[in-house]
Amino acid sequence: MSDPQGATLLAQASVPAKAILFGEHAVVYGRPAIALPVPQLQVTAIVRPDEGSLKVDSRYAGANGPRMAAVDLATAGPTEPLAAAARAALRHAGRTERTPWRVSLESSIPAGRGLGSSAAVAVAVVTAVGRAAEPEEAWGPQTIAELALEAERCVHGQASGIDTAVCAHAAPIYFQQGQARPLLLGCPLTLLIADSGLRGSTAEMVAGVRARQAEHPHTYAEWFDRVGRLADDAVRALAEGSPRWLGQLMNVNHLALQAMHVSTPQLDQLVAAARHAGAWGAKLTGSGGGGAVIALVDDETLAAVSAALSAAGAVSVLPLSIPPSG
Ligand code: MEV
């Protein structure tokens, strides 16, 4: 395999962004959650031969424009996420860090917007390094997600694993306690993802919820249980193809996220604008504190809701169509 410049190409992998439809935060405490891939935004990792130890070069869409990161396994510390992803893949393949390869990353996923930028990067590194190391043996999504989670833990502290799971499966999933299963969709889903333009920190938001739940364990356990039941009801609403029911569940999930203090006035404003313009339902998606909202629409309301989200301050509105199962 070679690239357009004729350089040898050992392997490559492209991985989508993600959006959480139900259950963020509660999923960290073992409750079920639902996540979707967002294929319009992607990370691509390419592995080429190099010298010395493995290196990762990354150009990605940071909150303040494109950023570069270069990491050499010979010098990277144990908490450097790109190095952690590459090390996990090399270890799984039985190779040492002195594998003479260079991994180049290109990402169009904005960081800090709840769209799984760091998880997609980790999954892309693990998948591409795995393909280069064992071209004959495709690693399954569960294995890739677990290896990539080692990098996610460097970024987010206590990550549930849902982000790496949905990026690795590249399909809608129901996720609980480290296990992902595919979701049955009885009708096509049309969604809009509106970026507030404000950066949130997943690590800070997860730590904030942890502190508050330590202070009010019973209250938070109830919120988490409720959110888990919403995710289970959503499985039925999705299978039956009922957007009205699904939208109502999304609205209730947003209320629970507000109660956990992870929403912001800007996110609430976007959610209200989407509902007012005719969305079946809307909620924040991801860890909150900034980031994005997700709205469920249909062909009739898509244009009006999209315009309302832009008017309410969204810096971008991305349509997402998920086909029915089978
Ligand atoms: C972040 O996309 C989702 C959170 O639930 C954190 C996690 O599950 O690791 C906030």
Side-chain angles (χ1 to χ4, degrees), residues 51-135:
E51 286 168 4
S53 49
L54 190 142
K55 297 165 199 66
V56 187
D57 292 333
S58 166
R59 183 143 53 108
Y60 58 94
N64 306 312
R67 286 176 53 191
M68 276 298 293
V71 163
D72 186 335
L73 293 202
T75 53
T79 57
E80 159 45 58
L82 293 174
R87 284 185 178 125
L90 289 174
R91 189 191 66 237
H92 191 71
R95 285 178 175 259
T96 72
E97 293 181 10
R98 285 198 58 76
T99 298
W101 295 343
R102 181 174 289 270
V103 184
S104 311
L105 285 161
E106 291 276 344
S107 174
S108 60
I109 309 175
R113 306 290 168 69
L115 298 175
S117 161
S118 60
V121 163
V123 168
V125 170
V126 169
T127 309
V129 170
R131 284 180 186 160
E134 298 185 342

Side-chain angles (χ1 to χ4, degrees), residues 37-50:
V38 181
Q40 293 98 319
L41 301 172
Q42 288 213 336
V43 179
T44 298
I46 297 179
V47 186
R48 296 189 178 86
D50 199 60

Side-chain angles (χ1 to χ4, degrees), residues 115-181:
L115 298 175
S117 161
S118 60
V121 163
V123 168
V125 170
V126 169
T127 309
V129 170
R131 284 180 186 160
E134 298 185 342
E136 306 300 324
E137 193 191 331
W139 295 356
Q142 178 78 18
T143 301
I144 291 171
E146 282 170 13
L147 294 170
L149 187 54
E150 295 182 27
E152 271 291 86
R153 293 211 166 108
C154 301
V155 187
H156 297 320
Q158 199 193 9
S160 66
I162 189 170
D163 291 3
T164 54
V166 67
C167 292
H169 281 79
I173 58 164
Y174 175 89
F175 179 93
Q176 188 171 21
Q177 295 186 340
Q179 299 298 315
R181 67 172 162 82

Side-chain angles (χ1 to χ4, degrees), residues 18 20 24-25 27-28 158-163 202 206 286-287:
K18 65 85 190 163
I20 297 189
E24 46 277 270
H25 288 291
V27 68
V28 175
Q158 199 193 9
S160 66
I162 189 170
D163 291 3
T202 299
V206 169
S287 57

